[in-house]
Amino acid sequence: MASTGSTVITASKHLTPGAGDLFTELSVAAYLAADGAVDVTAAVYDDVTGRTSLYRPGTAEETASIMKVDILAMLLAQDQAGGQPLTATDQALAQSMIQESDNDDAQSLWDEEGGAPAVQRFDAAADLTQTTPDAAGYWGLSTTTAANQVQLLRTLAYPNDVLTSPSQRYELELMSHVDADETWGVSAGPGADATVALKNGWLPLGSGGWQVNSIGYVNGDARNYVIAVLTDGGTEANGIATIEELSGFIWRELAPSSS
């Protein structure tokens, strides 16, 4: 596994100090040290404490289908600016793009909203400074960091000046009802009463192995957080297993009794 490191930062717009870096907690650190199947980078923002923990900060990965969350957020921001709701056609495209991970519909919305330059403008407004939409139009080959994906999720889940509450609710509702065969990833660990809004991405890499990513918002059982786990280098099954194990550890570490 590549060299690793972790850090903790105070989340912007939140002033309450938190408990510390989740990735240095003994159970989490031990798991990460032992898991050599894939390379991992991850981030968690805990809204209960207002803290963000980062594992291997600055490590850029290909987005695969998690880019679809960014594509829809850009579309919603455009429609907000124009004072118009999404058209029925765009709603249908958005639903299949997020819930079924339909690539053709993602391409249609990417092209409609202006491609990489338009998404880059939205990313700048949302403070996604480490995300690069693919200039050639292959949106799944865009690059990002776990920290930026957590920032994107915060734009969807918590009050901000970029997306309105109706826009946030719309996208999170779609992410809360992805098709059953796509409910793996950061949904692992949270209890049955928790709400999980997620998007996954997976892509065979030209260099060998797979890019497997999962991002999401988790709320319930006295937890409220957003999480992004990006993996590369192993099999698709390796990536999924690593994400789900790490997600379970994070859920348990954020239990009220552990704070």
Side-chain angles (χ1 to χ4, degrees):
M1 182 175 288
S3 61
T4 61
S6 62
T7 189
V8 61
I9 61 174
T10 302
S12 61
K13 301 183 182 178
H14 292 267
L15 302 178
T16 304
D21 187 348
L22 289 167
F23 297 111
T24 62
E25 295 292 342
L26 291 179
S27 63
V28 182
Y31 173 72
L32 289 168
D35 179 27
V38 296
D39 287 335
V40 185
T41 179
V44 178
Y45 166 68
D46 177 17
D47 196 56
V48 176
T49 62
R51 300 288 285 196
T52 300
S53 297
L54 305 176
Y55 183 70
R56 297 180 68 209
T59 301
E61 300 283 1
E62 292 183 355
T63 59
S65 283
I66 62 171
M67 191 65 186
K68 292 167 181 172
V69 176
D70 207 350
I71 292 171
L72 180 52
M74 171 62 204
L75 182 67
L76 291 165
Q78 282 186 338
D79 282 17
Q80 284 177 195
Q84 299 293 330
L86 265 63
T87 66
T89 297
D90 284 350
Q91 289 183 45
L93 292 172
Q95 180 174 348
S96 59
M97 176 180 71
I98 298 296
Q99 295 181 335
E100 302 169 20
S101 206
D102 189 284
N103 291 335
D104 291 336
D105 290 344
Q107 191 67 52
S108 294
L109 291 176
W110 168 277
D111 293 340
E112 174 190 326
E113 64 193 25
V119 177
Q120 186 67 65
R121 288 192 295 273
F122 170 81
D123 288 351
D127 200 24
L128 305 186
T129 59
Q130 298 173 324
T131 298
T132 304
D134 185 73
Y138 299 104
W139 45 263
L141 300 182
S142 302
T143 59
T144 192
T145 63
N148 261 201
Q149 289 304 295
V150 158
Q151 177 64 20
L152 174 60
L153 291 165
R154 288 182 58 186
T155 304
L156 293 178
Y158 307 114
N160 61 86
D161 298 329
V162 179
L163 291 179
T164 63
S165 294
S167 292
Q168 292 175 311
R169 286 194 299 270
Y170 177 80
E171 186 155 3
L172 288 175
E173 179 69 14
L174 292 181
M175 293 170 64
S176 298
H177 294 90
V178 298
D179 283 1
D181 60 351
E182 295 188 25
T183 57
W184 51 268
V186 297
S187 58
D193 293 334
T195 296
V196 180
L198 83 162
K199 185 72 191 81
N200 298 321
W202 58 99
L203 180 73
L205 297 171
S207 57
W210 282 73
Q211 183 78 50
V212 184
N213 305 325
S214 187
I215 64 174
Y217 166 63
V218 181
N219 182 22
D221 291 339
R223 285 98 153 171
N224 190 309
Y225 62 96
V226 290
I227 178 172
V229 186
L230 315 181
T231 75
D232 75 81
T235 66
E236 184 179 10
N238 291 151
I240 292 172
T242 295
I243 291 167
E244 293 191 336
E245 286 286 346
L246 187 54
S247 176
F249 279 117
I250 296 301
W251 171 262
R252 291 189 290 274
E253 288 295 337
L254 290 176
S257 60
S258 68
S259 61

